Amino acid sequence: MAVKTIISRPIYGTLSPQPGKHHLFIADAEGALAIIDMAGKAPSGFFDGAEIDFIPGPEGKHIAALEALEPAQLHLPPSFASLLPRLRQTLTNAHMGLRIYLAGTEGLIGQAMQVALEAGIDHTSMQTEHRGSLARRMQCVHCKGITENVTTQPALCSHCGLLLLVRDHYSRRLAAFQGVCINAEDRSEIPPMEEAFP
Amino acid sequence: MGITFRKETFRDDYTFRNSPEHIRRFPFPFNEDAYMYAVNIEPHVVGPKGSVLENLIDVDEHYVAEMQDRALVLAEDPLRCQSLPHMTLAGWDLLELLMEQQALGYPEHFTLERNGDRWRWINRPLGIDDTFTFGDTSTLPYGPMEYITRQSQGDFCILDQRDGNLWMDAGMVTTQADWSLDFDIGMNFFEWHAPVPLAHEKGIFTRALKFLTNIQQGKPARRLNWTMTINPRLDTSPENYHKWGPDRATVTPDNVGQKVHLRVELQSFWRLPRSNGIVFPIRCYLINMDELVTQPKWARRLHRVIRDLPEELATYKGLTRYRPTLVEWLSKLDDGSPTSSGFGPD
Ligand code: HEM
């Protein structure tokens, strides 16, 4: 059930060092590699005014490499939920000139952007780079529950249990793709679940 | 003499029907025997007496029943009505527009009295007589957009205009053709149209946006859009798709006439004076096949349109499952004779 890509689907770029003194990086898992690759292009002293919030994942990879960049602050929260209060605070008190860089899984980029948007930062002013898993955050349009790390097409809603088509239609406000019942017209039709977003 | 409002339902026992006068005034959306997306926008000016364009905001025999259905939807799902914080002023703009237009077109049913900021609104069909201070939300039982759109037929989106784009930042959406306000709120013109097939490639949305961002106050525009719905159900939302979707599998040659409805949206675009936003009323008209084919020209033309509709559009509109049954049924009413150009019946 491949659905061809559409305009609301976010497009990610490659991190590049922006002018300015204050830089905030939010990354998870393989996203660390995007920061490290970018560091090669950054002027010396770039990380003196940088905070890196990195959610390492279970294997704890890439921490040493980020330490080697000698950022002003390196914060290693265990999950996005645990980063949230601090992130809100940082963004609320942010300097006008704060530059934001998001790297890693789509779920991480989307959720961090959601918090930044709520703080009044324009989405086009943020740098993003997708690395690692293609797993999606999905909102069930029926029960409104969010299912994290969706890798299959179709996918089960973890809240109401409906079998959902994971669409490409994406909401920045919800930081989620839309899931719509795939067999609403005839519940006896059960399309096979395939690995679609590894 | 005024309108006789029907007692009818858009759910459960589905007692919705059109009177013969309403069948004739139905806004049939095809002016030729084929259909494809186009930038079909024209000035929204008053049309012939007895047509849906007799007034720029149309109120018809389904008014009271539609407002009751809206109240039911909102009680189940309050997320169908949302307004981002910066949209309150635009809500007042909309309240003014709808009160003025309804009072102008239907003085026997609606009255607006203004004394400076002190306004009195009388809505006789719904038994409302409220006095409030224009601009002061605390004097109304709901926010201004919700208050007036609980009393106006059709869905409403309010668009904020900035950065050369339109942003869907508020809306009352309970009678939609399968899209979610809760999901789309905050998106721009291209983003909320993302799921539409073919039209992006044809440059339709780029041209349409250019037109809309230039709309002047007092010079509204309009277009027609259409789809089909099984049973006269107003709330064909994605939220409830798992409830109404099964209806699409119930169409048989024997029940096409009663079950299959052409659903036409008269969409208009109005610049709002204070907020500089745009309001987009989406007025939905339903007609079942038995009613529609009482006009032989419409029967012949609809047959040809549905038969030849490009596959992408048929899929997007959700016709796939019952299209063959419908085309077969309509084909018996098409003798192949030519149809006159234009929308109206012969
Ligand atoms: C600002 C006003 C407008 C709003 C709020 C609006 C909103 C929408 C929405 C929410 C959809 C459903 C998309 C989905 O599948 O999720 C849609 C569909 C569509 N819109 Fe618009 N629209 C507007 C103006 C226009 C204009 C000016 C055009 C002009 C050509 C247009 C052409 C279409 C078409 C062709 C579709 C597909 C409809 C179908 O095949 O049933 N829209 N619109």
Side-chain angles (χ1 to χ4, degrees):
Chain A
M1 261 324 290
V3 184
K4 99 176 176 258
T5 194
I6 60 173
I7 281 178
S8 57
R9 171 109 175 68
I11 297 166
Y12 306 104
T14 306
L15 298 190
S16 69
Q18 299 299 299
K21 287 208 188 82
H22 303 278
H23 306 276
L24 174 63
F25 291 83
I26 302 162
D28 70 352
E30 307 296 304
L33 298 175
I35 303 177
I36 292 157
D37 288 351
M38 191 210 84
K41 292 175 271 173
S44 68
F46 178 87
F47 284 94
D48 294 351
E51 169 172 338
I52 301 179
D53 296 338
F54 176 58
I55 305 162
E59 291 126 62
K61 281 201 283 194
H62 311 309
I63 296 175
L66 290 177
E67 275 168 352
L69 300 176
E70 299 184 355
Q73 287 181 64
L74 176 62
H75 176 58
L76 302 171
S79 65
F80 186 77
S82 68
L83 169 62
L84 203 49
R86 173 188 173 122
L87 181 57
R88 287 219 170 94
Q89 159 97 351
T90 308
L91 292 171
T92 313
N93 299 339
H95 245 262
M96 276 297 285
L98 179 71
R99 304 293 179 159
I100 297 179
Y101 307 78
L102 312 174
T105 60
E106 283 206 87
L108 179 279
I109 297 175
Q111 290 178 89
M113 187 177 283
Q114 181 184 35
V115 179
L117 292 175
E118 283 164 11
I121 296 165
D122 188 72
H123 77 96
T124 54
S125 71
M126 295 179 238
Q127 296 257 314
T128 58
E129 182 166 341
H130 177 240
R131 291 272 183 132
S133 162
L134 295 168
R136 292 183 169 192
R137 252 185 131 231
M138 171 186 74
Q139 189 205 38
C140 172
V141 75
H142 310 290
C143 79
K144 306 288 178 189
I146 300 265
T147 304
E148 305 279 352
N149 294 319
V150 170
T151 59
T152 62
Q153 181 73 285
L156 271 185
C157 173
S158 62
H159 303 264
C160 69
L162 284 176
L163 190 61
L164 304 179
L165 170 73
V166 189
R167 299 180 77 194
D168 273 348
H169 200 27
Y170 181 85
S171 160
R172 272 193 302 277
R173 189 183 68 94
L174 300 169
F177 290 90
Q178 189 176 60
V180 181
C181 186
I182 198 168
N183 55 358
E185 297 178 17
D186 181 353
R187 255 355 132 64
S188 68
E189 292 172 359
I190 303 190
M193 241 188 224
E194 286 165 10
E195 196 70 13
F197 318 110
Chain B
M1 39 164 254
I3 305 164
T4 308
F5 298 105
R6 299 177 67 94
K7 285 199 175 60
E8 58 190 3
T9 56
F10 298 91
R11 54 180 69 212
D12 306 322
D13 57 351
Y14 293 114
T15 58
F16 167 89
R17 299 291 180 275
N18 288 296
S19 65
E21 307 81 73
H22 274 60
I23 293 174
R24 273 197 79 82
R25 82 198 278 275
F26 188 81
F28 189 72
F30 308 113
N31 63 345
E32 52 183 17
D33 288 353
Y35 178 80
M36 187 21 116
Y37 293 146
V39 187
N40 54 336
I41 309 178
E42 59 180 344
H44 189 34
V45 289
V46 169
K49 229 179 152 40
S51 78
V52 299
L53 299 174
E54 181 173 346
N55 292 293
L56 295 184
I57 293 291
D58 180 45
V59 176
D60 68 14
E61 63 184 4
H62 309 296
Y63 174 75
V64 173
E66 279 192 42
M67 294 302 97
Q68 286 165 347
D69 195 71
R70 166 157 292 161
L72 292 174
V73 174
L74 290 170
E76 267 173 28
D77 182 3
L79 296 175
R80 302 296 187 85
C81 177
Q82 297 192 43
S83 176
L84 297 181
H86 59 281
M87 296 304 281
T88 308
L89 184 62
W92 285 107
D93 277 334
L94 178 59
L95 175 140
E96 175 183 58
L97 175 74
L98 291 175
M99 286 185 178
E100 277 181 357
Q101 289 293 328
Q102 296 190 110
L104 177 74
Y106 309 90
E108 62 279 47
H109 299 304
F110 306 96
T111 306
L112 177 63
E113 292 168 7
R114 284 191 259 204
N115 190 351
D117 284 348
R118 237 16 223 170
W119 292 24
R120 179 175 177 204
W121 169 244
I122 306 171
N123 175 337
R124 293 178 196 87
L126 297 184
I128 292 169
D129 182 346
D130 283 336
T131 299
F132 60 95
T133 305
F134 186 86
D136 180 352
T137 303
S138 71
T139 60
L140 284 177
Y142 304 101
M145 176 187 75
E146 179 167 359
Y147 177 77
I148 196 58
T149 57
R150 278 177 178 267
Q151 304 178 46
S152 306
Q153 280 174 281
D155 283 343
F156 295 84
C157 301
I158 311 185
L159 300 320
D160 193 28
Q161 184 163 330
R162 51 180 201 272
D163 308 330
N165 213 323
L166 295 173
W167 302 82
M168 195 184 292
D169 287 348
M172 167 68 91
V173 179
T174 65
T175 68
Q176 70 267 50
D178 204 7
W179 66 278
S180 167
L181 173 72
D182 181 51
F183 196 80
D184 287 1
I185 193 166
M187 288 189 191
N188 69 36
F189 191 78
F190 298 114
E191 292 168 343
W192 81 64
H193 278 122
V196 180
L198 305 180
H200 293 274
E201 296 88 315
K202 289 173 178 287
I204 286 178
F205 291 123
T206 316
R207 276 179 288 147
L209 178 64
K210 205 167 178 166
F211 180 89
L212 293 182
T213 49
N214 285 311
I215 284 212
Q216 306 293 310
Q217 201 196 318
K219 294 196 176 144
R222 66 171 173 248
R223 66 182 289 267
L224 291 176
N225 188 45
W226 68 278
T227 186
M228 303 197 94
T229 304
I230 305 308
N231 295 326
R233 187 177 171 100
L234 283 176
D235 173 22
T236 47
S237 58
E239 278 79 359
N240 285 329
Y241 175 47
H242 56 311
K243 300 180 190 156
W244 56 264
D247 296 352
R248 286 182 173 162
T250 63
V251 178
T252 65
D254 293 334
N255 65 20
V256 166
Q258 289 293 309
K259 273 212 181 264
V260 179
H261 289 69
L262 180 61
R263 179 186 193 106
V264 175
E265 295 175 347
L266 171 57
Q267 310 178 335
S268 52
F269 314 95
W270 310 66
R271 175 74 62 198
L272 296 173
R274 298 171 187 79
S275 58
N276 197 43
I278 286 189
V279 64
F280 180 61
I282 310 162
R283 180 72 162 77
C284 169
Y285 297 88
L286 290 166
I287 191 168
N288 71 29
M289 290 300 107
D290 282 343
E291 292 172 346
L292 184 124
V293 303
T294 58
Q295 313 300 321
K297 169 182 163 186
W298 288 354
R300 290 201 300 277
R301 179 160 286 166
L302 186 66
H303 169 241
R304 298 165 197 177
V305 167
I306 301 294
R307 181 192 61 198
D308 302 337
L309 193 68
E311 200 55 43
E312 291 94 334
L313 270 67
T315 306
Y316 175 77
K317 291 174 188 287
L319 317 184
T320 312
R321 205 174 283 270
Y322 57 87
R323 176 150 78 146
T325 312
L326 173 61
V327 170
E328 172 63 23
W329 189 86
L330 286 168
S331 71
K332 305 208 166 94
L333 302 161
D334 185 358
D335 58 5
S337 62
T339 51
S340 59
S341 71
F343 300 94
D346 282 330

